[in-house]
């Protein structure tokens, strides 16, 4: 089975801090994604990557950046955390175009 | 922008009753996927529908894709407590290579 691992389950940070969320997948998937999940809003795409060093903006990229230096790892960076970035962050990966998404367990980030 | 509306937002049923969640898109979809998220868990892929008018079944779950490929539904017959969770639809538009547009989800509660 595909495993998508997110480095932290819970994270508490202060406003203005730089925050790194790490995600690793073990099935050699080309495509990786970062979503945030908020009640009543579903899952919204922040950034995605279809290859090493490639990245594309999703629907809500403002305040975030990403890094994909290796195929298995996709990092989400909050350059200067703000309280409105308090959310559940979900990493996902998939192999090809019409394939299904495999999600990590999520990181619940609280920005105080 | 492109949206996928999902209703209802929340439903609670008695065990044994049926349950249906509906998704409607503002644009024609190339395919639609359904995911289930158990409480405290992460979304897990259930099924993908591709063809106009397609109907697929998984035990007590019936998935439909509309003739115009703009709507979809998930129907659960005789709910069980194990069906508890949030059900998300996710539609892919014809131009959206990696962009699945998620509905806000329907949270199902089942009372024994």
């Amino acid at each position: 089975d595909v495993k998508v691992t997110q480095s932290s389950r819970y994270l508490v940070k202060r406003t203005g801090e730089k925050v790194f969320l790490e995600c690793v997948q073990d099935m050699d998937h080309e495509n990786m994604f970062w979503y945030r999940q908020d009640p009543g809003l579903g899952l919204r795409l922040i950034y995605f990557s279809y290859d090493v060093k490639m990245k594309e903006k999703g629907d809500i990229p403002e305040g975030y950046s990403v890094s994909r230096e290796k195929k298995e790892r996709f990092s989400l960076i909050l350059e200067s955390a703000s309280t409105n970035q308090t959310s559940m962050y979900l990493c996902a990966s998939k192999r090809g175009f019409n394939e299904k998404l495999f999600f990590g367990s999520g990181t619940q980030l609280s920005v105080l | 922008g492109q949206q996928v509306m999902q209703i209802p937002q929340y439903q609670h049923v008695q065990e044994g009753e049926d349950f249906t969640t509906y998704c409607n898109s503002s644009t024609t979809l190339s395919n639609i996927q359904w995911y289930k998220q158990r409480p405290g868990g992460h979304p897990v892929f259930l099924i993908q529908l591709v063809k106009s008018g397609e109907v697929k079944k998984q035990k007590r779950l019936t998935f439909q894709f509309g003739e115009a490929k703009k709507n979809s539904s998930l129907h659960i017959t005789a709910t069980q407590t194990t069906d508890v969770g949030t059900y998300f639809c996710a539609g892919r538009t014809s131009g959206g290579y990696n962009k699945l547009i998620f509905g806000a989800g329907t949270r199902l509660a089942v009372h024994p």
Side-chain angles (χ1 to χ4, degrees):
Chain A
D1 262 359
V2 174
K3 192 160 186 186
V4 180
T5 303
Q6 294 185 230
S7 52
S8 304
R9 186 73 176 94
Y10 299 97
L11 211 53
V12 180
K13 296 292 181 181
R14 295 207 175 274
T15 302
E17 279 193 77
K18 192 168 185 176
V19 181
F20 293 86
L21 302 183
E22 306 287 345
C23 175
V24 177
Q25 50 94 4
D26 66 356
M27 283 300 291
D28 203 38
H29 284 174
E30 288 82 10
N31 304 284
M32 296 189 74
F33 305 79
W34 276 105
Y35 289 89
R36 65 177 280 177
Q37 182 176 16
D38 300 288
L41 296 178
L43 281 70
R44 292 180 292 165
L45 182 61
I46 305 171
Y47 267 97
F48 63 96
S49 168
Y50 53 88
D51 202 353
V52 176
K53 296 195 186 294
M54 304 304 290
K55 60 185 179 183
E56 294 282 345
K57 292 180 180 179
D59 299 315
I60 52 164
E62 297 79 17
Y64 304 94
S65 61
V66 290
S67 171
R68 193 162 181 207
E69 296 296 318
K70 293 185 178 182
K71 191 174 187 179
E72 67 271 17
R73 188 179 297 269
F74 192 35
S75 303
L76 179 70
I77 303 151
L78 286 66
E79 297 291 342
S80 177
S82 63
T83 54
N84 62 14
Q85 292 179 309
T86 291
S87 185
M88 170 66 79
Y89 290 88
L90 289 162
C91 175
S93 74
K94 69 181 178 87
R95 185 173 303 282
F97 177 59
N98 264 334
E99 300 283 328
K100 60 187 176 184
L101 288 169
F102 292 89
F103 284 89
S105 297
T107 296
Q108 179 62 53
L109 173 67
S110 297
V111 182
L112 306 178
Chain B
Q2 296 157 347
Q3 286 190 355
V4 173
M5 306 301 293
Q6 188 173 357
I7 57 169
Q9 187 172 350
Y10 176 74
Q11 187 158 4
H12 61 93
V13 299
Q14 289 296 127
E15 191 172 19
E17 291 182 341
D18 292 357
F19 159 77
T20 305
T21 174
Y22 302 89
C23 281
N24 287 288
S25 169
S26 54
T27 57
T28 302
L29 302 171
S30 58
N31 59 53
I32 193 160
Q33 296 179 348
W34 284 89
Y35 292 80
K36 177 184 179 181
Q37 184 175 26
R38 294 183 187 275
H42 56 274
V44 175
F45 175 83
L46 293 176
I47 209 159
Q48 177 170 274
L49 305 172
V50 179
K51 299 176 184 175
S52 169
E54 189 170 14
V55 178
K56 286 188 176 180
K57 292 192 175 186
Q58 289 180 348
K59 297 183 181 177
R60 293 177 295 102
L61 278 61
T62 302
F63 303 84
Q64 291 189 324
F65 200 12
E67 294 290 340
K69 300 182 77 173
K70 284 189 171 184
N71 57 75
S72 182
S73 65
L74 158 59
H75 179 81
I76 303 178
T77 303
T79 54
Q80 299 175 359
T81 54
T82 54
D83 295 324
V84 163
T86 301
Y87 294 85
F88 292 97
C89 60
R92 186 186 311 283
T93 58
S94 56
Y97 174 75
N98 260 327
K99 282 188 170 186
L100 277 176
I101 305 169
F102 278 83
T106 296
R107 187 155 65 98
L108 173 64
V110 179
H111 300 288

